[in-house]
Amino acid sequence: MHGLAQFVAIAAFAAPAVFAQSAIWGQCGGEGWAGPTTCVSGSTCVESNPYYSQCLPSTATPTQPSEPSNSPSSPSGSGGGTPVSTGIVGQPTGPGLNLAAKKAGKKYFGSATDNPEFTDAAYLKILNDTNEFGQITPGNSMKWDATEPEQNTFTFSGGDQVLDLAEGNGQIVRGHNLVWYNQLPSWVTSGTWTNATLTAAMKNHITNVAGHYKGKVYCWDVVNEPFNDDGTYRTDVFYENIGIEYIAIALQTAREADPNAKLYINEYNIEYAGAKATSLVSLVQSLKAANVPLDGIGVQGHLIVGEVPTDLETQLALYASLGVEVAITELDIHVTDLPTTLPETAALLAQQQEDYQSVITACNNVPGCIGVTIWDYTDKYSWVPSTFSGQGDACPWDANLDIKPAYNGILAGFA
Ligand code: 9MR
């Protein structure tokens, strides 16, 4: 990060005098753009969408002759995999991600956030920008361990803080989540339950939490991650004591607690066809056939750079065809081999940009896909590195809160 910070500082200081041309990855055109329309040597101005043209390395645009580069953002060495000092675009100059999503007919583009981040003024400034984000998801503070740490003792302070922020900005909130095997307090996981006692405890939790936020959240992830990757049901405390009926009971209870909230099942590794996706489809069909209230399928979208499923759009369309809305609820696309590639190579950043664009394009092409949420917008607060050692850099903003090429991939996907 040292080299990068240094570059950003130098670029910011020298930009007006030196760069009559845009740097590699910089903007070079688009509706309303008053800056340079030519690129530094070694890069070419390529239109991403009507709002955004970008200087791409000439190696990525083989129709252009390759010239020796003198850009400060170019690799200092040569050859594939050589670390480069940037790829960072700086601050956004385009229409904003939420505006682009809305222009494309979507309900929102949003971000997850978490309460400890609220002390970071620079972070909040971007989160509060409704041109970028029209929707917020609390990453942790509406979960069971946060809201009912002791049985029937409810604490809403963290969730309320996120809701208040979003309400103040005019951003909608996705409630996350009501029933999940993870982040449960020990009184749930270690309790001695029967079907009847756990059903009552689960209904009490949903009634109180969804009741507290009644009329204030757009939707709830009522049941989160009910399946194993092989398509079998996850044998968590709910499944073991109540059976698969816990899902229908949870949905019905949530409907009674907040009749206007859209009720979702949220899951990961359903971005591609397979056993898990097939089981989810069967579940949704059987819930619908039994008139259980269910309004949406959340496709989380925790993906890996270079490995975005090619059938994502097909899967989104399949889910929408079941008579529910679909949302990408937790998108991030992480790099798996950080130690050897830090700072990121231009190739990785370009691949990540392409990957973000293809995910957004998939949602854009499916009318039933109503919006996309990224699982926090900046690498500064991404969950990935603390969960997967040596992996990360998953977000469209870097840890310095500058946008990465991925940002432009999102814009291009909505175009
Ligand atoms: O972002 C959340 C992180 O701060 C928590 O430590 C983690 C604990 O399980 O949960 C993260 O959010 C998860 C979300 O609630 C459900 N889908 C997977 C997300 C990433 O783990």
Side-chain angles (χ1 to χ4, degrees), residues 139-140 143 176 180 182-183 224-225 300 302 330 375 383:
N140 286 303
K143 290 173 178 172
H176 177 83
W180 186 28
N182 202 355
Q183 287 180 280
N224 198 37
E225 304 173 2
Q300 292 187 6
H302 294 294
E330 304 184 14
W375 205 243
W383 68 288

Side-chain angles (χ1 to χ4, degrees), residues 280-300:
L280 177 70
V281 168
S282 302
L283 171 64
V284 171
Q285 284 169 333
S286 62
L287 291 170
K288 285 277 168 197
N291 280 323
V292 174
L294 175 69
D295 305 303
I297 295 178
V299 178
Q300 292 187 6

